[in-house]
Amino acid sequence: AQSVTQLGSHVSVSEGALVLLRCNYSSSVPPYLFWYVQYPNQGLQLLLKYTTGATLVKGINGFEAEFKKSETSFHLTKPSAHMSDAAEYFCAVMGAGTSYGKLTFGQGTILTVHP
Amino acid sequence: GAVVSQHPSRVICKSGTSVKIECRSLDFQATTMFWYRQFPKQSLMLMATSNEGSKATYEQGVEKDKFLINHASLTLSTLTVTSAHPEDSSFYICSAPPPRGAYNEQFFGPGTRLTVL
C-alpha cells in the first residue's frame, strides 16, 4: 500500500517569492510520483512526474520537484511565484502490481499568492 | 496531449433519482478508466476501475450497487449514481491512461459537479 502526506494545507507567498510545497510518500516499491494542479471547479492538470532516471524533474510553468529516496520526499518548488499560480496542488503516488495505474493523492495544498 | 471529456459538467437532482455521468476519451482508446470522487475541500479518492468489456472493480467501501459503472466501448465509461442522496453530492472525476498501457501518465476529465437536493 502507498500513502502521501502533504505538509501544510495552506501556503501563502508573495508574488515573486519562492514556492515550496512539501510532499512525503510511503511506498513498498520504487514509486511513480506526480504533482497535479487544480483550479476551482476544474479537473487536474499534470505539472510534472517522476518515474525513473533523473531525480530532479522539471515541469510546466516553471515548477520542478526533486525525488529524494532517502527522505521519501518529492517537494515541489518554483523560484518565483506568479499570481496565476494560485490554485490547489496535489501530490500523488501510483500503485504497483495489481494497483498499477491507481493514484493515491495527498490531502492537497492551497497556494495563495498575494501582491 | 490526449483529451478526456465528461458530461455533464454540472448536475442538480432531487434525492432518490439516478444520475448518469459520462467519461469519454476523445482521441484515443482507453480499455481502462478510473473514477475518483472529491468531496468539498478534500482530496480525490479512487472509487473504481472501469474495464472495457468486463466488470468494474471497486475500492473498499464503495457500494457497487449504488455506483454503477459501465464501460461499453473503448472510448466511453459511464458512472450512474443510483437513488442519489445529499451525501452523494461531490465532484466526480474520471481519468484514462494513454494507449499502450502507459499508466505512468493519466489524462483527467474536467469533472462533474453533482448536487443532490
Side-chain angles (χ1 to χ4, degrees):
Chain A
Q2 56 273 330
S3 65
V4 177
T5 301
Q6 291 181 238
L7 299 176
S9 58
H10 289 80
V11 171
S12 181
V13 301
S14 299
E15 191 174 19
L18 171 72
V19 175
L20 171 61
L21 305 183
R22 299 178 186 274
C23 172
N24 288 88
Y25 70 90
S26 171
S27 177
S28 57
V29 297
Y32 287 176
L33 295 161
F34 305 81
W35 275 100
Y36 289 91
V37 60
Q38 184 181 36
Y39 296 96
N41 293 309
Q42 295 188 27
L44 300 180
Q45 181 181 12
L46 179 67
L47 282 176
L48 48 80
K49 62 181 179 182
Y50 169 79
T51 54
T52 58
T55 57
L56 182 62
V57 179
K58 295 186 183 298
I60 63 172
N61 300 338
F63 285 94
E64 63 182 37
E66 186 171 10
F67 169 60
K68 292 187 177 181
K69 183 178 178 180
S70 61
E71 298 177 9
T72 60
S73 68
F74 190 58
H75 301 330
L76 181 70
T77 60
K78 181 174 181 177
S80 176
H82 293 163
M83 297 295 289
S84 60
D85 294 328
E88 188 161 19
Y89 292 79
F90 292 95
C91 181
V93 62
M94 182 173 287
T98 56
S99 295
Y100 186 48
K102 299 180 181 180
L103 292 170
T104 298
F105 288 88
Q107 303 92 319
T109 298
I110 296 174
L111 175 65
T112 302
V113 182
H114 50 86
Chain B
V3 177
V4 174
S5 71
Q6 283 184 241
H7 177 79
S9 58
R10 288 180 178 270
V11 58
I12 300 173
C13 68
K14 293 182 178 180
S15 185
T17 61
S18 294
V19 174
K20 180 183 287 187
I21 302 170
E22 295 184 348
C23 176
R24 293 182 185 272
S25 55
L26 296 185
D27 51 1
F28 66 101
Q29 294 181 334
T31 57
T32 298
M33 292 182 176
F34 298 97
W35 285 96
Y36 294 84
R37 178 169 54 185
Q38 184 180 29
F39 289 110
K41 301 188 185 302
Q42 295 188 29
S43 188
L44 288 82
M45 297 294 290
L46 179 66
M47 297 175 65
T49 304
S50 174
N51 303 296
E52 190 270 335
S54 64
K55 291 183 179 180
T57 55
Y58 291 82
E59 296 301 302
Q60 191 173 8
V62 177
E63 300 175 58
K64 59 182 66 176
D65 293 331
K66 180 164 190 64
F67 298 100
L68 301 179
I69 292 173
N70 183 23
H71 198 142
S73 77
L74 288 171
T75 60
L76 174 63
S77 174
T78 60
L79 168 68
T80 301
V81 183
T82 63
S83 185
H85 289 97
E87 58 265 30
D88 299 321
S89 297
S90 187
F91 195 51
Y92 293 87
I93 305 177
C94 68
S95 73
R100 295 187 295 278
Y103 285 10
N104 61 11
E105 180 165 5
Q106 302 214 15
F107 300 102
F108 283 83
T112 297
R113 174 76 60 193
L114 170 63
T115 302
V116 184
L117 302 177

Short mmCIF file of all heavy atoms in Angstrom, two decimals, chain B residues 21-48:
data_model
loop_
_atom_site.label_atom_id
_atom_site.label_comp_id
_atom_site.label_asym_id
_atom_site.label_seq_id
_atom_site.Cartn_x
_atom_site.Cartn_y
_atom_site.Cartn_z
N ILE B 21 -23.24 9.88 -15.42
CA ILE B 21 -22.12 10.74 -15.81
C ILE B 21 -21.29 9.99 -16.84
O ILE B 21 -20.95 8.82 -16.66
CB ILE B 21 -21.24 11.08 -14.59
CG1 ILE B 21 -22.07 11.77 -13.51
CG2 ILE B 21 -20.07 11.96 -15.01
CD1 ILE B 21 -21.34 11.91 -12.18
N GLU B 22 -20.96 10.68 -17.92
CA GLU B 22 -20.18 10.06 -19.00
C GLU B 22 -18.74 10.54 -18.98
O GLU B 22 -18.46 11.71 -18.73
CB GLU B 22 -20.79 10.40 -20.36
CG GLU B 22 -22.17 9.84 -20.60
CD GLU B 22 -22.67 10.13 -21.99
OE1 GLU B 22 -22.04 10.96 -22.68
OE2 GLU B 22 -23.68 9.53 -22.39
N CYS B 23 -17.86 9.63 -19.30
CA CYS B 23 -16.44 9.94 -19.44
C CYS B 23 -15.98 9.40 -20.79
O CYS B 23 -16.12 8.21 -21.06
CB CYS B 23 -15.65 9.29 -18.32
SG CYS B 23 -13.85 9.51 -18.43
N ARG B 24 -15.48 10.29 -21.63
CA ARG B 24 -15.07 9.89 -22.97
C ARG B 24 -13.62 10.23 -23.24
O ARG B 24 -13.16 11.32 -22.89
CB ARG B 24 -15.90 10.60 -24.04
CG ARG B 24 -17.36 10.20 -24.08
CD ARG B 24 -18.11 10.92 -25.20
NE ARG B 24 -19.54 10.61 -25.15
CZ ARG B 24 -20.09 9.58 -25.77
NH1 ARG B 24 -19.33 8.75 -26.47
NH2 ARG B 24 -21.38 9.37 -25.67
N SER B 25 -12.93 9.30 -23.86
CA SER B 25 -11.60 9.61 -24.39
C SER B 25 -11.80 10.03 -25.84
O SER B 25 -12.35 9.28 -26.64
CB SER B 25 -10.68 8.39 -24.29
OG SER B 25 -11.26 7.26 -24.93
N LEU B 26 -11.40 11.25 -26.16
CA LEU B 26 -11.80 11.84 -27.44
C LEU B 26 -10.90 11.44 -28.60
O LEU B 26 -11.34 11.39 -29.74
CB LEU B 26 -11.85 13.35 -27.31
CG LEU B 26 -12.90 13.89 -26.35
CD1 LEU B 26 -12.93 15.41 -26.40
CD2 LEU B 26 -14.27 13.30 -26.62
N ASP B 27 -9.63 11.21 -28.34
CA ASP B 27 -8.75 10.95 -29.47
C ASP B 27 -7.87 9.74 -29.24
O ASP B 27 -6.83 9.58 -29.88
CB ASP B 27 -7.88 12.19 -29.77
CG ASP B 27 -7.19 12.71 -28.52
OD1 ASP B 27 -7.37 12.11 -27.43
OD2 ASP B 27 -6.48 13.71 -28.63
N PHE B 28 -8.30 8.86 -28.33
CA PHE B 28 -7.57 7.62 -28.13
C PHE B 28 -8.52 6.61 -27.50
O PHE B 28 -9.57 6.97 -27.00
CB PHE B 28 -6.34 7.84 -27.25
CG PHE B 28 -6.65 8.23 -25.82
CD1 PHE B 28 -6.60 7.30 -24.79
CD2 PHE B 28 -6.98 9.54 -25.51
CE1 PHE B 28 -6.88 7.66 -23.49
CE2 PHE B 28 -7.27 9.92 -24.21
CZ PHE B 28 -7.22 8.98 -23.19
N GLN B 29 -8.11 5.37 -27.56
CA GLN B 29 -8.92 4.32 -26.97
C GLN B 29 -8.41 3.99 -25.58
O GLN B 29 -7.21 3.93 -25.34
CB GLN B 29 -8.88 3.07 -27.86
CG GLN B 29 -9.54 3.29 -29.22
CD GLN B 29 -9.52 2.04 -30.09
OE1 GLN B 29 -8.65 1.19 -29.94
NE2 GLN B 29 -10.48 1.93 -30.99
N ALA B 30 -9.34 3.78 -24.68
CA ALA B 30 -8.98 3.51 -23.29
C ALA B 30 -9.67 2.25 -22.82
O ALA B 30 -10.89 2.24 -22.62
CB ALA B 30 -9.36 4.69 -22.42
N THR B 31 -8.92 1.19 -22.66
CA THR B 31 -9.51 -0.04 -22.15
C THR B 31 -9.77 0.05 -20.65
O THR B 31 -10.55 -0.72 -20.11
CB THR B 31 -8.59 -1.24 -22.42
OG1 THR B 31 -7.31 -0.98 -21.84
CG2 THR B 31 -8.42 -1.46 -23.92
N THR B 32 -9.12 0.97 -20.01
CA THR B 32 -9.29 1.18 -18.57
C THR B 32 -9.51 2.66 -18.30
O THR B 32 -8.85 3.50 -18.89
CB THR B 32 -8.05 0.70 -17.79
OG1 THR B 32 -7.87 -0.70 -18.01
CG2 THR B 32 -8.20 0.96 -16.31
N MET B 33 -10.43 2.93 -17.43
CA MET B 33 -10.64 4.29 -16.94
C MET B 33 -10.80 4.22 -15.43
O MET B 33 -11.20 3.18 -14.90
CB MET B 33 -11.87 4.93 -17.58
CG MET B 33 -11.71 5.23 -19.07
SD MET B 33 -13.18 6.04 -19.74
CE MET B 33 -12.66 6.36 -21.41
N PHE B 34 -10.49 5.30 -14.78
CA PHE B 34 -10.61 5.36 -13.33
C PHE B 34 -11.62 6.45 -12.94
O PHE B 34 -11.67 7.50 -13.55
CB PHE B 34 -9.25 5.69 -12.70
CG PHE B 34 -8.18 4.66 -12.98
CD1 PHE B 34 -7.28 4.84 -14.01
CD2 PHE B 34 -8.09 3.52 -12.20
CE1 PHE B 34 -6.30 3.89 -14.28
CE2 PHE B 34 -7.11 2.56 -12.46
CZ PHE B 34 -6.22 2.76 -13.50
N TRP B 35 -12.38 6.15 -11.90
CA TRP B 35 -13.33 7.13 -11.37
C TRP B 35 -12.91 7.54 -9.97
O TRP B 35 -12.66 6.69 -9.11
CB TRP B 35 -14.74 6.53 -11.34
CG TRP B 35 -15.38 6.44 -12.69
CD1 TRP B 35 -15.42 5.36 -13.51
CD2 TRP B 35 -16.07 7.50 -13.38
NE1 TRP B 35 -16.08 5.66 -14.69
CE2 TRP B 35 -16.49 6.97 -14.62
CE3 TRP B 35 -16.36 8.82 -13.07
CZ2 TRP B 35 -17.20 7.73 -15.55
CZ3 TRP B 35 -17.07 9.57 -14.00
CH2 TRP B 35 -17.49 9.02 -15.23
N TYR B 36 -12.84 8.87 -9.78
CA TYR B 36 -12.48 9.43 -8.48
C TYR B 36 -13.63 10.31 -7.99
O TYR B 36 -14.41 10.85 -8.76
CB TYR B 36 -11.21 10.31 -8.61
CG TYR B 36 -9.96 9.54 -8.96
CD1 TYR B 36 -9.66 9.24 -10.30
CD2 TYR B 36 -9.06 9.13 -7.99
CE1 TYR B 36 -8.51 8.54 -10.63
CE2 TYR B 36 -7.90 8.43 -8.31
CZ TYR B 36 -7.64 8.15 -9.63
OH TYR B 36 -6.51 7.46 -9.95
N ARG B 37 -13.65 10.47 -6.67
CA ARG B 37 -14.63 11.36 -6.06
C ARG B 37 -13.88 12.35 -5.18
O ARG B 37 -12.93 11.97 -4.48
CB ARG B 37 -15.62 10.55 -5.22
CG ARG B 37 -16.68 11.35 -4.50
CD ARG B 37 -17.75 10.45 -3.92
NE ARG B 37 -17.21 9.41 -3.09
CZ ARG B 37 -17.93 8.43 -2.54
NH1 ARG B 37 -19.22 8.37 -2.77
NH2 ARG B 37 -17.38 7.52 -1.78
N GLN B 38 -14.32 13.57 -5.22
CA GLN B 38 -13.68 14.61 -4.42
C GLN B 38 -14.75 15.38 -3.67
O GLN B 38 -15.54 16.11 -4.27
CB GLN B 38 -12.87 15.56 -5.31
CG GLN B 38 -12.09 16.61 -4.55
CD GLN B 38 -11.30 17.53 -5.47
OE1 GLN B 38 -11.67 17.77 -6.60
NE2 GLN B 38 -10.19 18.04 -4.97
N PHE B 39 -14.77 15.22 -2.36
CA PHE B 39 -15.69 15.98 -1.52
C PHE B 39 -15.13 17.38 -1.34
O PHE B 39 -13.93 17.60 -1.47
CB PHE B 39 -15.89 15.28 -0.19
CG PHE B 39 -16.69 14.01 -0.31
CD1 PHE B 39 -16.09 12.77 -0.13
CD2 PHE B 39 -18.04 14.04 -0.62
CE1 PHE B 39 -16.82 11.60 -0.26
CE2 PHE B 39 -18.77 12.87 -0.75
CZ PHE B 39 -18.16 11.65 -0.57
N PRO B 40 -16.02 18.34 -1.00
CA PRO B 40 -15.57 19.73 -0.86
C PRO B 40 -14.38 19.86 0.07
O PRO B 40 -14.36 19.29 1.16
CB PRO B 40 -16.81 20.43 -0.31
CG PRO B 40 -17.95 19.62 -0.82
CD PRO B 40 -17.46 18.19 -0.80
N LYS B 41 -13.39 20.56 -0.40
CA LYS B 41 -12.19 20.85 0.37
C LYS B 41 -11.45 19.58 0.80
O LYS B 41 -10.75 19.58 1.81
CB LYS B 41 -12.53 21.70 1.60
CG LYS B 41 -13.19 23.02 1.23
CD LYS B 41 -13.34 23.93 2.42
CE LYS B 41 -14.11 25.20 2.06
NZ LYS B 41 -13.46 25.97 0.97
N GLN B 42 -11.60 18.53 0.04
CA GLN B 42 -10.88 17.29 0.33
C GLN B 42 -10.14 16.81 -0.91
O GLN B 42 -10.25 17.38 -1.99
CB GLN B 42 -11.84 16.21 0.83
CG GLN B 42 -12.50 16.54 2.16
CD GLN B 42 -13.28 15.36 2.69
OE1 GLN B 42 -12.95 14.20 2.42
NE2 GLN B 42 -14.31 15.65 3.46
N SER B 43 -9.40 15.75 -0.70
CA SER B 43 -8.61 15.22 -1.81
C SER B 43 -9.45 14.28 -2.66
O SER B 43 -10.62 14.03 -2.39
CB SER B 43 -7.40 14.48 -1.26
OG SER B 43 -6.53 14.13 -2.31
N LEU B 44 -8.84 13.77 -3.70
CA LEU B 44 -9.51 12.82 -4.57
C LEU B 44 -9.34 11.41 -4.02
O LEU B 44 -8.24 11.04 -3.59
CB LEU B 44 -8.92 12.86 -5.98
CG LEU B 44 -9.22 14.07 -6.84
CD1 LEU B 44 -8.30 15.21 -6.52
CD2 LEU B 44 -9.13 13.73 -8.31
N MET B 45 -10.42 10.66 -4.06
CA MET B 45 -10.37 9.27 -3.62
C MET B 45 -10.80 8.38 -4.78
O MET B 45 -11.85 8.61 -5.38
CB MET B 45 -11.29 9.06 -2.43
CG MET B 45 -10.91 9.85 -1.20
SD MET B 45 -9.34 9.34 -0.50
CE MET B 45 -9.81 7.73 0.14
N LEU B 46 -10.00 7.37 -5.04
CA LEU B 46 -10.35 6.44 -6.11
C LEU B 46 -11.58 5.64 -5.71
O LEU B 46 -11.63 5.07 -4.62
CB LEU B 46 -9.18 5.50 -6.40
CG LEU B 46 -9.41 4.45 -7.47
CD1 LEU B 46 -9.59 5.10 -8.84
CD2 LEU B 46 -8.25 3.47 -7.50
N MET B 47 -12.56 5.62 -6.61
CA MET B 47 -13.77 4.86 -6.35
C MET B 47 -13.70 3.48 -7.00
O MET B 47 -14.01 2.48 -6.38
CB MET B 47 -14.99 5.58 -6.91
CG MET B 47 -15.28 6.92 -6.32
SD MET B 47 -16.65 7.70 -7.18
CE MET B 47 -17.98 6.59 -6.77
N ALA B 48 -13.33 3.47 -8.28
CA ALA B 48 -13.41 2.21 -9.02
C ALA B 48 -12.58 2.30 -10.29
O ALA B 48 -12.25 3.38 -10.77
CB ALA B 48 -14.86 1.90 -9.37
#
